[in-house]
Amino acid sequence: MELMRLGEPGQEIPAARQDGITYDLRGVTADITGAFLGADGISRVREALTAGELPALAGTESLRVGPPVTGIGAVVCVGQNYAAHAAETGDQPPKAPIIFFKHPNTVVGPNDDVVIPPGAQKVDWEVELAVVIGKRASYLSSTEEALECIAGFTISNDVSERDYQIVHSGGQWSKGKCAPTFNPLGPALIPADDVADPQALRLYSKVNGEDRQDSTTADMVFSIGEIIRDLSQYMALDPGDVVNTGTPQGVALSGRFPYLAQGDVMTIGVEGLGEQQQRVVAF
């Protein structure tokens, strides 16, 4: 099952796709929000599908795909969570998760344009497995507890401006992460129960059809359960919050590839979760 939001920004229709058919969820919920996920919304959708209570949604091929969740309270990100990526940036793998934040208004649909800020020269791509929280995660004692707090998984492109991140940062990274459109999300939220092993997913990126990143979540320094458990010691994650779990090697910061320029097209994918594609445009 895939949970999606289809339509123009601010007018998205909540939908569920199963067996090639897209169903209208407006009889179950007005939108896919943290409150909906926290109120066992995914189970309610499954029950409605099983009972045949959901009408098919017509004309979906012509509808924009929005981010699969809205009303996000926080986008929490993990840095250098793949050893090879840490190495290509000149660092050792971290001994504890490195955390930074993105402003929630960075989140756009998976195929929306990514806008280069005025004067920016070093805009970079980062494919990531994203976690969407479904139950409050606070002071958790085990990775098992942490995994129970996950509603589902989706794809994130943690777009970054590296000069803002490093040169202008004052020692933190969020300046390079928070420009509007810098977090395409989606296309769908895949319920956690439908992902057999989130630590065994291929993830990849391309620019203008040329390969950039190609790795697997098995190479994470800190597993998804470890990340959520660790975060819960320092903050409470609420339903609808998004956690970007890190990117593998193959970014422009490595020096192996040019940074993004106007007109470039990024293709970002995670095995079993779909694919997204963005065109880079100037402000």
Side-chain angles (χ1 to χ4, degrees), residues 16 23-28 45 48-49 51-56:
Y23 297 93
D24 191 333
L25 288 183
R26 285 176 290 185
V28 176
V45 173
L49 283 170
E53 297 171 350
L54 299 177

Side-chain angles (χ1 to χ4, degrees), residues 106-175:
T106 59
V107 174
V108 292
N111 305 317
D112 291 346
D113 290 343
V114 167
V115 181
I116 296 178
Q121 299 293 318
K122 294 184 177 179
V123 178
D124 209 345
W125 58 88
E126 294 190 29
V127 59
E128 307 207 7
L129 175 65
V131 170
V132 179
I133 300 298
K135 183 172 72 172
R136 175 170 264 224
S138 181
Y139 303 122
L140 303 175
S141 60
S142 68
T143 58
E144 289 77 18
E145 278 187 287
L147 293 172
E148 290 174 358
C149 293
I150 296 173
F153 300 95
T154 189
I155 305 170
S156 179
N157 186 358
D158 175 21
V159 182
S160 309
E161 211 292 343
R162 300 304 191 182
D163 268 351
Y164 295 178
Q165 176 185 345
I166 298 167
V167 180
H168 304 173
S169 69
Q172 52 76 40
W173 291 355
S174 290
K175 284 184 180 178

Side-chain angles (χ1 to χ4, degrees), residues 146-253:
L147 293 172
E148 290 174 358
C149 293
I150 296 173
F153 300 95
T154 189
I155 305 170
S156 179
N157 186 358
D158 175 21
V159 182
S160 309
E161 211 292 343
R162 300 304 191 182
D163 268 351
Y164 295 178
Q165 176 185 345
I166 298 167
V167 180
H168 304 173
S169 69
Q172 52 76 40
W173 291 355
S174 290
K175 284 184 180 178
K177 303 286 189 172
C178 285
T181 74
F182 267 28
N183 203 140
L185 194 70
L189 175 64
I190 309 301
D193 290 346
D194 292 350
V195 178
D197 185 357
Q199 299 299 157
L201 301 176
R202 176 180 174 243
L203 64 173
Y204 61 89
S205 65
K206 301 180 181 184
V207 177
N208 301 327
E210 297 179 357
D211 292 341
R212 293 294 186 260
Q213 298 169 279
D214 194 341
S215 187
T216 168
T217 55
D219 291 334
M220 285 183 177
V221 177
F222 303 102
S223 72
I224 292 160
E226 290 170 330
I227 290 167
I228 302 303
R229 189 209 63 79
D230 183 77
L231 287 173
S232 79
Q233 309 308 307
Y234 306 100
M235 66 188 79
L237 297 170
D238 287 321
D241 287 348
V242 174
V243 180
N244 289 341
T245 59
T247 199
Q249 67 173 330
V251 297
L253 182 61

